[in-house]
Amino acid sequence: MTCLEQMPLHYTAVPDTGNGLVTEISMRSDAHLSRPMLAAMMVELSGNDDQRWLCWVADRPLKPLLNSGTSQNGQKILQVVSNSTRDLSEIAIRALERGKSHTVAILLERPLREDERIALENAALAGNAECLVIFMQS
């Protein structure tokens, strides 16, 4: 019997370096499926049974993505928007450490540095949370 595994179109494998609490995906910013797929992921994560909130950390608000025909009933999403992309990983680290969110999603325009990945993993462990890093390629 043969077993085949199909990888999603916009998935980039990252070496397993830690506790498995940080997931990284890469999406093309100009692809027509990226916006609806990202909106669907955020809606699914916000509907988590955990009473804590989903936290969105990015240089742009999530709301325009969710307005693209996505049902918004019962969503628990905290948005943290910063104009400085340098601070996004630091904001995500603080949000993870506090443990007020079950998942912290961070939108970046560049891949994570190794020290950032380690800091996010440690913060996720400390806050009993998960981190979703979304890298938008141009």
Side-chain angles (χ1 to χ4, degrees), residues 2-138:
T2 303
C3 180
L4 298 175
E5 181 179 349
Q6 181 178 352
M7 300 300 281
L9 293 175
H10 299 288
Y11 176 80
T12 302
V14 177
D16 184 15
T17 59
N19 54 34
L21 297 175
V22 176
T23 302
E24 296 180 53
I25 61 171
S26 179
M27 303 176 82
R28 294 200 42 94
S29 60
D30 60 348
H32 72 283
L33 288 176
S34 293
R35 284 178 54 112
M37 194 168 14
L38 185 55
M41 281 190 295
M42 295 305 107
V43 168
E44 181 68 25
L45 286 171
S46 70
N48 189 321
D49 289 338
D50 193 318
Q51 293 302 306
R52 298 179 293 170
W53 291 55
L54 165 68
C55 182
W56 170 260
V57 178
D59 62 348
R60 62 194 87 150
L62 180 62
K63 191 159 177 71
L65 289 173
L66 296 180
N67 286 341
S68 62
T70 311
S71 171
Q72 298 179 32
N73 294 335
Q75 291 178 353
K76 299 180 296 188
I77 302 174
L78 171 66
Q79 296 187 57
V80 181
V81 179
S82 174
N83 292 334
S84 173
T85 56
R86 292 181 327 193
D87 299 334
L88 293 176
S89 61
E90 280 300 316
I91 293 168
I93 289 167
R94 286 195 310 268
L96 285 163
E97 287 174 336
R98 289 192 177 120
K100 301 289 185 189
S101 299
H102 56 78
T103 305
V104 174
I106 177 173
L107 180 68
L108 297 173
E109 293 181 358
R110 59 167 177 76
L112 279 178
R113 296 186 319 263
E114 187 62 26
D115 63 318
E116 289 174 313
R117 182 178 296 108
I118 292 168
L120 287 168
E121 288 174 351
N122 291 336
L125 188 61
N128 190 28
E130 294 188 32
C131 183
L132 174 62
V133 180
I134 305 154
F135 170 54
M136 293 299 279
Q137 299 175 339
S138 349

